[in-house]
Amino acid sequence: MANSKYEYVKSFERCQPDILLPNTWIAIRIDGRGFHKLTAKYAFEKPNDRRALDLMNAAAVAVMKELPDLVLAYGISDEYSFIFHKDCMLFERRAAKLITTVATTFTSYYVHLWPTYFPTCPLTPPMPSFDGRAVMYPSVQNLRDYMSWRQVDCHINNLYNTTFWALIQHGGMDGTTAERELAGTLSKDKNEILFSRFGINYNDEPAIYKKGSVLFRDYELEPPSRSDASPAFAVEGGGDGGLSAPVSKTAKEKERKRRSKATIAVEHVDLIRDEFWVKRPWILSGRAGKLRE
Amino acid sequence: MANSKYEYVKSFERCQPDILLPNTWIAIRIDGRGFHKLTAKYAFEKPNDRRALDLMNAAAVAVMKELPDLVLAYGISDEYSFIFHKDCMLFERRAAKLITTVATTFTSYYVHLWPTYFPTCPLTPPMPSFDGRAVMYPSVQNLRDYMSWRQVDCHINNLYNTTFWALIQHGGMDGTTAERELAGTLSKDKNEILFSRFGINYNDEPAIYKKGSVLFRDYELEPPSRSDASPAFAVEGGGDGGLSAPVSKTAKEKERKRRSKATIAVEHVDLIRDEFWVKRPWILSGRAGKLRE
Amino acid sequence: MANSKYEYVKSFERCQPDILLPNTWIAIRIDGRGFHKLTAKYAFEKPNDRRALDLMNAAAVAVMKELPDLVLAYGISDEYSFIFHKDCMLFERRAAKLITTVATTFTSYYVHLWPTYFPTCPLTPPMPSFDGRAVMYPSVQNLRDYMSWRQVDCHINNLYNTTFWALIQHGGMDGTTAERELAGTLSKDKNEILFSRFGINYNDEPAIYKKGSVLFRDYELEPPSRSDASPAFAVEGGGDGGLSAPVSKTAKEKERKRRSKATIAVEHVDLIRDEFWVKRPWILSGRAGKLRE
Amino acid sequence: MANSKYEYVKSFERCQPDILLPNTWIAIRIDGRGFHKLTAKYAFEKPNDRRALDLMNAAAVAVMKELPDLVLAYGISDEYSFIFHKDCMLFERRAAKLITTVATTFTSYYVHLWPTYFPTCPLTPPMPSFDGRAVMYPSVQNLRDYMSWRQVDCHINNLYNTTFWALIQHGGMDGTTAERELAGTLSKDKNEILFSRFGINYNDEPAIYKKGSVLFRDYELEPPSRSDASPAFAVEGGGDGGLSAPVSKTAKEKERKRRSKATIAVEHVDLIRDEFWVKRPWILSGRAGKLRE
């Protein structure tokens, strides 16, 4: 064939180590690139712009729908984490392919849905883009700690931002003064500032700002069960990368369909305690639950 | 700090080997995901849809403009390769960041510019997405062989497709018959079929279909020069990952600006022979040329 | 400093992705290089040379003693697998360092101890060497399946070799004829050949040949316990890469000492069933057991 | 087959990214582990023990002989760097295999040859071991800078050590005082101390201490040639990872034999200037030179 002379260059592609370790949870995290400028350009509301968050969530819901292998997603600000189950074999677990598929699908919907959420300010170049990375977590505990880390980050950032912008918007400070005011303060100090100076009870703030957004397939909830036996704690959910009861191809296809049909729930709930995981055992088991009627 | 308990999960991020080897050329290649369906859905013309190629090129031009570190890009069909110079240190050469930035920026513009090229058929979900990968090439020869490989591929595919669709559109065959007709044929056989049966001289086909699209910064052309000393052949262009004459920060900034200002040329020319590279020494040297007036 | 001009080359070292994922079991497997020639040169007995296996085991015991982080080792023929606990942080889990330390320590003792096991045939160049690799296993099940895989391999190879060499040594066949005789036979066929033709009951063969050699630190055995709660099955033993009860530095040092003091047991036992693991919970927990008096 | 149930664990081995990029120079550097203790245990002479260096060199010569793909080696103190040509395809360029083969072969000879160099103090456990790593260098310049870096390091360390031990052995200082004396001194200060206080002209010290040991295959020297065209500078020597004139299998085998036959030279010469490389073009070309009679 005419092109054989050059094809040796393909051998260079094998050198990017790319297969993610089997039997590990895969977190793909994407981040808005230079969103500081973007929020200024489109005059996002401070400290939180509800339309911007709704747009992020809508794009993430679309990603979940297009990739039924995803079991969970979590978004805060301009960042989103998408979780593939540890048994997932999509794209043979090739990292570059998983990252770019998630990131470009998200971007595609973000641009497409923009007019729905910002009907009066059309997107113009420079266009939004996102960078992404893949991280592997071997155990359920590691995965839950990752989610907890992000949610704690959400809380810390939002409490800070809420107080910072209250000082500016209601307290008449400039940014530098507000920053100085908050330097070294603890959570309780910020709560106190909000309440005593501005009559804001942080607990009453919308959950979407305080907790971020949790996306999962919406099967029938199960009653919280005997915690010890639950996959949220000890037993690794689902297969174990090889020796679990073999699943037939048709069974797999059925599963896949059931997952595709499930609607994607968007909730603003605690991910740190056990309750979330115990009630929705299908997330860690990777098995589709019972579809809601 | 409250979140320290969970932050250990960050250490898992170090395990994705991600830094691309210094002093190697970086090719980021993106491919349309499931574009077979997309071309059907939007009724792309066969064998080539000029609007679709123009859209790909427009998105690629935007990527070149947003990332001045790119020295070259080459597109065929639903695939695009973007080349970072071997001296490029963008994002510290982290592979995931380079891949996702290129792929999502491209996607963002692809969606944004769609209505310009397909004004009568708006994009609807499922939205287009792209996967991507990074490959390193240590020498100019390897890089040029990579480009040649892609351009030979373009030629082979386009000759095949042109003949295949001629058999269907002008010869009245169905796909299966056309495929059987072409099985085992050589290039000259396909040229012969085109000419003798349909009066098509393949050489007269538009260069964009036969050669693909080459994008580069458009400085003043230099006269083809004494080939031996040229970076297209032997001497590695530009620095050598460390010991080349040190470039001051302000000089670098100036360079960067000059690159940003250059218009992006879109040409459909031969990349395999030396001429292209000899005439445009700035591509391999990585140094901005003289801006056209 | 005079050498700063060249030191940039150090940056190239970062590009070998080398940190093994935290919270995964690490198996370092080494294999004799070209041991086919070596067994011929020193006239190893067939199908098994007890001195050669004892030498392998003695070298492996020395490796276990020098690296208290190792929790288990398993040897067959000219291969040995060394297991680091999933919580092990030795050399920051850098793969190259772990592999080369295990492999060169093993080699060093292999050469040093050779005269003890082969007093009459001194080693001469070309000298023995070993290659090695590191593999990560996320779960206890994966790790146990790895060990089972190696032990099943040991069984299959040894049954084959025992029958093959019986046909030659007692049956007077040449190698080619023996090979043909065994082509397509099942385990029970080989057992039958051994018994009916040569009066050999394979079950009576020495366990070291049938089972390979298992090395572990020899604490007081515990009575096989309530299996469900045991780390051999479900609960991941020891910490979880971050959130287990924090262990103080002095406690760690104490642990380390206790491990260093334990004698290394060399046994030829079944690794596939649960019993081995249930009786020796310290292997999976990674916690030193009670030293034998 | 009986073991298929467990064999899935083999798939975990694909996840260690291991293929070194084609067309890059490979440096395998090994370092003695804990040699500080070893030098004390066997009472190595200070600042340099000639027997210890000769042993290192003898082991390295054996490695060069067993691996004809090696084109160069360089040793200082308890460290050795082995260079594979950029065209080398040994073990398909798998990093773990290359590192462990070099490191264990070296170790094997180190232990084996010890009695030749230390006839009166036999090796006893704990035995010497070495860790190793692989680094890729894309260009000749990078490779030469790596070698220069090591040789500059040799010079700096040896000048320091020579002065430090002179202060102790001839000047009667203790270690702490000598260290304090040398803090902040430049090369010329150390030269001055050596000369004015102890009558030592550093230039007269043996080259093996000042320059380290350079190993290469000893073909007939060529007259230093017109530098511009030489592979030591610009043109990448040998093939280019694909497109160089194809070499037949028999030609390759012949090459290999010629390389195996060449004696290994051990010299203590400057690697930083061009002369070394210009005179021995076969090192960078990777082509065997003319065997000495």
Side-chain angles (χ1 to χ4, degrees), chain A residues 186-205:
Chain A
L186 304 176
S187 286
K188 61 166 194 216
D189 303 324
K190 297 190 194 76
N191 274 301
E192 181 59 23
I193 291 173
L194 283 174
F195 192 71
S196 63
R197 297 204 209 167
F198 309 111
I200 296 170
N201 187 337
Y202 183 72
N203 285 334
D204 298 341
E205 291 293 296

Side-chain angles (χ1 to χ4, degrees), chain A residues 5-6 8 11-12 14-23 89 92 240-243, chain D residues 5-6 8 11-12 14-23 89 92 240-243:
Chain A
K5 186 170 122 193
Y6 302 116
Y8 79 92
S11 71
F12 289 67
R14 289 195 307 160
C15 301
Q16 262 308 82
D18 206 45
I19 306 283
L20 298 172
L21 190 67
N23 200 24
M89 290 304 294
E92 298 168 286
D240 199 25
L243 278 189
Chain D
K5 186 170 123 194
Y6 302 116
Y8 79 92
S11 70
F12 289 68
R14 288 195 307 161
C15 301
Q16 262 308 83
D18 207 43
I19 306 284
L20 298 172
L21 189 66
N23 200 22
M89 289 304 294
E92 297 167 285
D240 199 26
L243 277 189

Side-chain angles (χ1 to χ4, degrees), chain A residues 27-32 35 52-64 70 72-83 102-103 106-107 110 130-134 146-147 150 208 211-216 264-268:
Chain A
I28 310 276
R29 184 166 78 245
I30 63 173
D31 280 275
F35 264 44
L53 293 178
D54 286 344
L55 170 56
M56 290 290 288
N57 290 348
V61 165
V63 171
M64 292 279 284
L70 288 167
L72 193 66
Y74 178 68
I76 50 174
S77 181
D78 63 344
E79 117 180 6
Y80 239 99
S81 297
F82 293 91
I83 310 298
V102 166
F106 188 91
T107 304
Y110 189 90
F130 295 83
D131 59 43
R133 73 187 70 199
Y146 172 75
M147 303 306 286
R150 300 321 304 139
I208 187 175
K211 298 286 181 201
S213 298
V214 185
L215 273 59
F216 54 88
I264 308 297
V266 181
E267 302 199 352
H268 315 292

Side-chain angles (χ1 to χ4, degrees), chain D residues 77-142:
Chain D
S77 182
D78 64 343
E79 122 182 1
Y80 238 100
S81 298
F82 293 91
I83 310 298
F84 288 104
H85 193 272
K86 70 192 175 63
D87 291 341
C88 167
M89 289 304 294
L90 186 64
F91 307 141
E92 297 167 285
R93 301 176 72 87
R94 283 155 57 199
K97 203 145 184 175
L98 289 165
I99 302 172
T100 50
T101 296
V102 166
T104 64
T105 303
F106 187 92
T107 304
S108 203
Y109 280 96
Y110 190 89
V111 174
H112 177 65
L113 296 169
W114 177 277
T116 309
Y117 295 90
F118 293 91
T120 59
C121 36
L123 266 182
T124 55
M127 297 293 290
S129 60
F130 295 83
D131 59 42
R133 75 187 66 201
V135 191
M136 298 172 277
Y137 293 108
S139 72
V140 164
Q141 191 60 57
N142 294 149

